[in-house]
Amino acid sequence: MNNAGTGQGPAGGVSGDEGFTLIELLAAMTVLALGVVGVIGVTNSSMKVAADAGARSKAVSVATQVIEEYRALPYDSIPTGSEPGATGRGRQVPVGTRTFSVDWHIDMVDETAAADPAQTATTDAYKSLTVTVSWTDDRYREVRQETIIYPGGRGRHVPVAAKVPNAPPGTPAAPSDLVLTIPAGLTGTTAVDLAWVSPVASNPPIEGFVVQYSTDYFVTTQYEVSTSNPTPYFRVTDLSAGTAYQFRVASVAANGTTSGWTGIGAISTPANPLAPCRLGLSSVTPKAVHKRGSGNGSKLTTSPRLAVNTIGNCLTTTLRAEYSPRAGVTRTIALTADDGVFEGTINGEEAWDVGRHDIVIRDGTLAERGSTVLLVCDATKRSCR
């Protein structure tokens, strides 16, 4: 029997030379394309989430920096409400390739003693600072931080001792011999320790004390803190540095009455002991720039802008930037301070070498305080990053 033309091998089976049909090939390519599209979508989504998280983290750092700038100021010099400087809008803070817009507002807040509804509200109890940092990528975004700034360790309002039913009438005896000292070895705060002599006997009995302090001998300004501890000792913290304060103490009885005051004691806090100038974020905009021509020896397409953010008391600080545009050449520029940010322009109108250029930030003593990097690319390079 002749098997020619039947498509079968010698054993009568299929020869195996048929391959894929066009329909099978198209089905396989469709499945592969769907898989690739899915992977690209997941990758793009992951990159966007990472970029959003990075931008939000930088925005939080900028807001924290603004808050620390105000915390470093003496309490009485922080403006509120409609005072100049209490509201700021549109302050531009460059961080890397992104620029954030900063708005802030400071209000004076009154406070009522919730523990005693009959207690009179404390006027001008503390200052409330709200900072909003915004930016735009595919849409408008913002982060907001709020903080409370108290006047010199007074903390939240504490009412004087409430009246005790059936307590003996009368006024308690006043304390005496007030002594003020600056505690040694403290870090992170400016404080004054108060010690006094309690009356040996008092009718009605003493259940606590009231401490008042002022910066103008109680003419217009005074702050008050109450303690229910009968121990004749108290520490007032978070005072302004380099400021003269006056203190006095009175006894508080169980029936709610208050004695006369001790004599006024005066003392000055050390000048700026714990608010040194510190450098925050340093950035160059743009951080990568092309040259106008190929090879070394040509100018940049722009003159980058350098910004150095600072925290703390930087009023008397001098900063400068030092860099080398090309081998054997060193340039220095003075940085100008503006609201806690030191800025300067790097000269792009001179010859620059291709590559990484370190920019060193130095203070008035020429000590290195920080650094950042500028990348210079050849004009023939398509991208520069």
Side-chain angles (χ1 to χ4, degrees):
M1 182 174 179
N2 188 2
N3 292 329
T6 63
Q8 295 182 345
V14 180
S15 67
D17 295 332
E18 294 81 355
F20 288 103
T21 66
L22 180 59
I23 294 176
E24 290 173 329
L25 180 60
L26 290 175
M29 292 180 66
T30 301
V31 172
L32 178 61
L34 290 175
V36 171
V37 170
V39 170
I40 292 175
V42 171
T43 302
N44 289 339
S45 178
S46 299
M47 293 177 64
K48 186 176 183 303
V49 169
D52 290 346
R56 187 167 296 275
S57 177
K58 293 177 181 178
V60 170
S61 297
V62 171
T64 302
Q65 172 193 315
V66 174
I67 290 173
E68 291 303 320
E69 288 175 2
Y70 275 100
R71 285 191 175 276
L73 297 175
Y75 181 83
D76 290 337
S77 69
I78 300 176
T80 60
S82 60
E83 298 175 358
T87 299
R89 298 191 181 280
R91 169 178 164 185
Q92 301 299 300
V93 179
V95 182
T97 58
R98 189 185 302 276
T99 298
F100 296 91
S101 180
V102 183
D103 300 337
W104 69 90
H105 184 70
I106 310 173
D107 285 314
M108 183 69 79
V109 181
D110 297 340
E111 188 175 66
T112 303
D116 185 359
Q119 180 71 31
T120 303
T122 301
T123 303
D124 298 346
Y126 56 83
K127 297 177 181 181
S128 175
L129 169 62
T130 301
V131 179
T132 302
V133 180
S134 61
W135 71 99
T136 302
D137 37 36
D138 57 333
R139 60 187 177 86
Y140 174 83
R141 301 174 186 272
E142 70 175 32
V143 296
R144 178 176 297 181
Q145 288 196 27
E146 298 183 6
T147 189
I148 291 174
I149 305 175
Y150 284 112
R154 184 173 53 81
R156 290 189 176 276
H157 174 68
V158 179
V160 296
K163 290 186 177 182
V164 176
N166 302 320
T171 301
S176 60
D177 300 325
L178 176 62
V179 177
L180 310 175
T181 56
I182 301 294
L186 281 184
T187 57
T189 185
T190 300
V192 171
D193 285 340
L194 292 79
W196 58 88
V197 176
S198 295
V200 176
S202 177
N203 189 21
I206 295 172
E207 289 203 350
F209 298 95
V210 176
V211 176
Q212 284 190 350
Y213 56 101
S214 170
T215 56
D216 62 359
Y217 283 85
F218 305 99
V219 175
T220 58
T221 62
Q222 67 182 44
Y223 309 113
E224 182 174 295
V225 60
S226 301
T227 171
S228 59
N229 188 344
T231 303
Y233 169 83
F234 194 78
R235 172 172 289 174
V236 179
T237 60
D238 297 327
L239 298 170
S240 299
T243 304
Y245 285 94
Q246 305 84 46
F247 296 83
R248 61 187 182 185
V249 181
S251 305
V252 179
N255 61 11
T257 59
T258 303
S259 73
W261 299 103
T262 60
I264 296 176
I267 195 169
S268 295
T269 55
N272 299 317
L274 299 166
C277 180
R278 296 188 293 114
L279 266 59
L281 299 172
S282 299
S283 61
V284 180
T285 306
K287 65 179 180 181
V289 61
H290 282 91
K291 294 164 61 66
R292 298 181 189 176
S294 300
N296 293 328
S298 57
K299 302 176 182 179
L300 304 182
T301 57
T302 185
S303 293
R305 188 71 175 168
L306 174 65
V308 180
N309 295 283
T310 59
I311 301 172
N313 181 15
C314 301
L315 297 178
T316 60
T317 299
T318 300
L319 295 180
R320 70 179 195 175
E322 185 179 283
Y323 61 92
S324 297
R326 56 192 181 276
V329 177
T330 300
R331 296 283 185 258
T332 300
I333 58 172
L335 303 182
T336 303
D338 181 16
D339 199 16
V341 180
F342 286 76
E343 297 180 310
T345 301
I346 297 173
N347 185 12
E349 295 295 322
E350 65 173 318
W352 281 77
D353 290 342
V354 172
R356 170 192 171 109
H357 295 264
D358 292 324
I359 302 174
V360 178
I361 313 300
R362 299 186 183 278
D363 60 18
T365 66
L366 304 185
E368 182 176 341
R369 298 287 298 275
S371 64
T372 187
V373 174
L374 172 65
L375 181 62
V376 175
C377 299
D378 194 278
T380 60
K381 190 172 182 180
R382 185 172 183 179
S383 62
C384 186
R385 63 179 65 184

